[in-house]
Amino acid sequence: MHSTTTDRDAAERRPTDRSAAGGGVSAADSPADAYRLVFERNPSPMWVFDRQTLRFLAVNDAVVARYGYSREELLGMTVAELCAAVAGGAAGADPAGAASLAGAVSGGAALPEQPRRREHRTRDGVRLEVEIEGEDLEWGGRPARLEVVTDVTEWVGAERALRQAEEQLHLLAEAVPQALWIGASDTPAPVYVSPGFERIWGIPAEEAVANPYRWLDGVHPDDRERVVAAAMRNRDAAFEIEYRVVRPDGEVRWVRDRGFPARDGRGALLRVAGVAEDITERKRAELALRESEQRFRAIFEQARIGIALSSIDGRLVDCNRALAEMLGYSREELRQLHFSEVTVLADLPRELAMAGSLLRGERESYTLEKRYVRKDGEIVHAHLTVSLMSDADGTPVHVVVLVEDITERTRIEEALRASEERFRALIENASDTICIVGVDGRLLYTSPAVGRALGYGPEELRGRPVSDLVHPEEVAAVEAMLRRVAAEPGGVQSATYRIRHKDGSWRWFDGLASNRLEDPRVAGIVVNSRDVTERRRLEEELMQAQKMEAVGRLAGGIAHDFNNLLTGIQGYATLVRDGLRERDPLREDVRELLRIADRAGALTRQLLAFSRRQALQPRVLDLGGVVAGMEKMLRRLIGEDVQLTATAEPGLWPVRADPAQVEQLILNLAVNARDAMPGGGTLRIETRNARIEVAEPEACPGLPAGDYVLLEVRDSGEGIAPEHLPFIFEPFYTTKERGKGTGLGLATVYGVVKQSGGYIYAHSEPGRGASFRIYLPRVDGPVEPEPNEGGEVVRGGGEIVLVAEDEPAVRSLARRILERAGYRVLEAEDGEDALAVAEAHAGPIDLLLTDVVMPRMGGRTLAERLARARPGVRILFMSGYSEELVSARGPARYSPLLEKPFTPEALASRVRLTLDEAAPAFAVGATP
């Protein structure tokens, strides 16, 4: 806006600018007068100020009216002074730029750019929020500025109030447990949900908004259709609905959802806002108390707990239905009773004492647990909260009692206590040990079984590191197990380890560790362990036995084949020797050959004895007599520097064994003792009766109770080191120098003892000699005399002998020997061939001479089938590997046995003895 008049001209003409009728603009007025009139009468405050001095040059009526200054006062003021009034009211603030305006005037600088929004204050101190629109112009030839002021105080206040309200609403939405929501006008999809939504639905609020129908997926399938229908049908009015929500974890919650429509000024629906409240607990209460028919029932009636209002003297004034139901009375009946009449007498004194202190003002309220007697006589356990109700003057008028039925809780607690007692009894009496180990590897708890298994008391173990008790070889494995299980919540790990007994010995345990660190009742790693020391000992014995069995089978197989070869060598050598003249120089060579064969036969017998597969000729014998008969030979064997003492208890019980093998056993032990005493010593051989009443697992593991004859061989030699003792009976195990021992001596002893049904135990300490104790079972019956077989060939009388032998050399040798002795011989290479030969032979067969072990069909089966076909036939077995005859069925008691290798004289003699028996020694079905 521009003006060509001065302020003075305007002031002089001002009185004539208005018409007499009321100040309107006349037709004769100039355009400048019209602009001035618009300026003066504008309802918005307007002013013009000098841009250099900031003094007002003109103000309109609205400025005078709004700011409370007169026109003359305003024209004497500057814009900076008007703003300074605001700045002065707020220390340190310059919201209207008063300081910068003043600085520009004093420094002669250009007028700085001013903010559109400013703060002014009226003459009487009222703060104004204004917005200013301005335009630079010239006023009387001077640079000026016209500004129009819009008062936005109310709008700014409303804006602040709205912003504050929004902030408060946001805080409220964050804090309240309910879910606040805003929905679209035409769908049930939300456009906003508060954080309370996640607490109810279990779904993040952002997910519910991003996926508008995600909230609906959480509604129970049975309620979903009803919820959608209610939400869409009632969007024109407030609605309320209750339904169920299934959270992602499967938990079901009840929700009460209320919606309210929001409309614009024309009544059109804009949004639907609402609040969803978790009413799960209320629903549970309603179901428990069966009062769901009145959701807004008075608190007194709706309460889940009993409420009683009694007089000061203890008479019931009123009660709710819960209390009446709890006690089994009607309300009318309860009103006629004193509280003491429904209280267990034993609980009354304590309650009266507490009620007295309440009435005397010594306490404001009290709680206690007591027992009520229901009308039907049942006992109700209750938790009471008792407070005093007073009138306006503070005079007590009633006693308010809140009664919670804790019968079920008490029952559960009692059941829990009983369960804990049973569990404690189980733990304390369990044979397995139970320990709780902390994360630091220290023992927090040990069950009584630990003390029984290891000899420690609980106080000796509590706080002790597990590694202190574990064998050094297993410490790393146990610590690794504990680390693994600690790193896996709820995980389980196992290990086998040794724990030191209080007496210093070691016990083997199988342990199972489970992580219970997160369980506050345990807060540790639970280790269940079972003592498997005895089981491991038995397993080691079984492994040892299996190993001995495997090696024995190998040795026995080798000896079997070798015995067949030796039989041929010895037999044919004997035939050659007998065919030579007495002075023939070859006879001595043949004798040497026979001596070598005898030594080889002794070696195979040793192998068979170790493997327990030699052909035994057991009989009932006096073990003391066997030792006495060997005494002279033993003295020559052990040498003069070893003193021999042999004693036998009078009345020694008989045993059943092969005397030759017993002699071999004693010789091997004597030689072993002699080698352990290179500088001389003492060898004691004792035989005595031993009655074992109870099995002795420590001293003699595996020895059952019973009657035995004990053969003990003790020496005063160097002894056996502990690391060697477990292996001394293994074949080829020796600590002697190379060339001084085969390692078969003690293995042979072990084989003879086991094949004779006995037990052997070795005890030794380095430098204190060794002791071997052999237990042979007692038998009943008289001692049998030793059979006397001559050295001459006994002639036959033309009897027919069927020879079944798979080794051609042995079969041919037997045929030649028997034919020379006067017998007629039929040959067969195995059992099946023998049956075919017998079937094809029309005449009688007097005797079957058969090997025990043959391909296709063995000797035992052949003997049974031939005995059925030809009753009365005699059977003679021959074997150098009689496993079939010394199997679990026992020794060959019903048929004679010829052991390989044999001489011609022994074969002919045994055939004659078998043929001359009064009746067949082998019967069908008998065990050979």
Side-chain angles (χ1 to χ4, degrees), residues 181-191 231-236 261-263 268-273:
W181 55 268
I182 299 175
S185 61
D186 54 350
T187 69
V191 296
M232 297 305 298
R233 184 176 62 248
N234 299 321
R235 299 182 84 77
D236 291 338
R263 305 179 184 280
L269 182 64
L270 296 174
R271 291 282 190 270
V272 179

Side-chain angles (χ1 to χ4, degrees), residues 127 201 325 449:
R127 187 178 68 83
W201 261 261
E325 291 177 353

